[in-house]
Amino acid sequence: TILFSASKDKTVREWDMIQNTDRKTLPGHNNVVWDVVVTNDGQQIVSVSHDETIRWWDTMSGEQKKMAKGHTSTIYTAAVSSDGKLLATGSADKTVRIWDMETAECVKVLTGHSSHVTSVAWIPDTTDRLVSSSWDETIKLWDTTSGTPIFTFTGHNSKVNCLAVTPDGDYIVSGGEDKSVKVWRISTLECFKTMPTHKEEVTAVAVSPDGKYMASASMDCMIKMYKVTSV
């Protein structure tokens, strides 16, 4: 089992989770690496950084294959579409950019947020529906073909730090500076549930691949897990 990590030491590292060893270090960024994602086929890694670049790496060799620039400030987040053809990135420049995974060219710029974009996620099995969270206290659902927002979810009363989408594409899970975890139903465009379970701001949320569990992490030094059926 392999894990890839992003770090303030400007590198991406590959870890063997069975042997508990550092297998490979991928240097190249010249500032903090904020996010790293692996394509569904496991062939490529994509990293984004405070240095405003996106870098593509070969998983097996660790060789950097491509590099792209376009954002004008720190890039915090990245997500690859289910078919592996498109990459979405979010930045402190308040934009979301869509990139062609093959050519590393920017094919669309999504504007609408009024502050840092902190997280992006594709709706599963689509290449034209994307969600993003922002320090402007909102979550946006985008039509990436037209480049326009379909809907803006409001409800957090402070910065939204993170989001995830359930594997069935029905719900968005978000966490924010307001210490809450919220679940949003995409079909009705409404907040389905609010869980004020943390004592400090929520910095990360995740949904298990089978969709049965959710997890949230917070600056209160706690990680909490929830059964989706109980949410």
Side-chain angles (χ1 to χ4, degrees):
T1 303
I2 302 301
L3 171 73
F4 291 95
S5 62
S7 172
K8 287 187 176 181
D9 68 6
K10 310 175 188 178
T11 70
V12 174
R13 288 179 183 261
E14 177 185 328
W15 305 85
D16 186 316
M17 297 297 288
I18 304 299
Q19 301 296 325
N20 194 29
T21 55
D22 178 357
R23 292 180 47 171
K24 203 177 285 141
T25 300
L26 312 182
H29 286 291
N30 58 36
N31 213 314
V32 177
V33 182
W34 285 109
D35 198 9
V36 58
V37 292
V38 183
T39 55
N40 283 344
D41 62 10
Q43 299 301 304
Q44 293 186 85
I45 311 155
V46 183
S47 58
V48 296
S49 169
H50 192 79
D51 66 13
E52 303 175 10
T53 68
I54 305 161
R55 297 171 192 256
W56 283 257
W57 313 82
D58 181 87
T59 306
M60 293 301 295
S61 67
E63 179 185 357
Q64 182 179 307
K65 308 299 289 186
K66 294 181 285 251
M67 191 268 284
K69 291 194 72 172
H71 285 291
T72 59
S73 190
T74 302
I75 309 172
Y76 287 118
T77 178
V80 179
S81 60
S82 299
D83 64 3
K85 294 181 178 180
L86 296 174
L87 173 74
T89 55
S91 169
D93 67 10
K94 309 175 188 176
T95 70
V96 175
R97 285 179 178 256
I98 309 298
W99 308 79
D100 186 302
M101 283 286 287
E102 182 66 29
T103 65
E105 293 181 357
C106 181
V107 296
K108 192 78 68 176
V109 180
L110 312 181
T111 59
H113 282 297
S114 59
S115 189
H116 299 41
V117 178
T118 54
S119 190
V120 291
W122 293 93
I123 304 301
D125 301 320
T126 73
T127 56
D128 62 352
R129 293 292 184 269
L130 182 83
V131 289
S132 60
S133 63
S134 171
W135 282 0
D136 66 10
E137 305 180 10
T138 72
I139 297 163
K140 289 186 182 292
L141 172 65
W142 300 89
D143 179 332
T144 59
T145 302
S146 66
T148 58
I150 297 170
F151 189 76
T152 299
F153 296 90
T154 59
H156 282 286
N157 56 31
S158 191
K159 298 173 181 177
V160 187
N161 292 326
C162 49
L163 59 73
V165 178
T166 56
D168 57 15
D170 290 341
Y171 298 95
I172 303 164
V173 182
S174 62
E177 193 179 55
D178 61 6
K179 310 174 187 177
S180 74
V181 173
K182 290 181 179 288
V183 182
W184 312 81
R185 185 183 282 118
I186 295 175
S187 61
T188 58
L189 303 175
E190 64 182 359
C191 183
F192 172 70
K193 185 84 171 180
T194 298
M195 294 168 286
T197 56
H198 285 286
K199 296 179 181 179
E200 297 292 340
E201 67 178 282
V202 179
T203 55
V205 292
V207 182
S208 62
D210 61 9
K212 294 181 179 179
Y213 297 93
M214 293 168 19
S216 60
S218 167
M219 292 185 72
D220 63 9
C221 302
M222 298 288 289
I223 297 172
K224 300 200 174 189
M225 292 190 65
Y226 319 86
K227 279 189 175 181
V228 171
T229 52
S230 68
V231 172

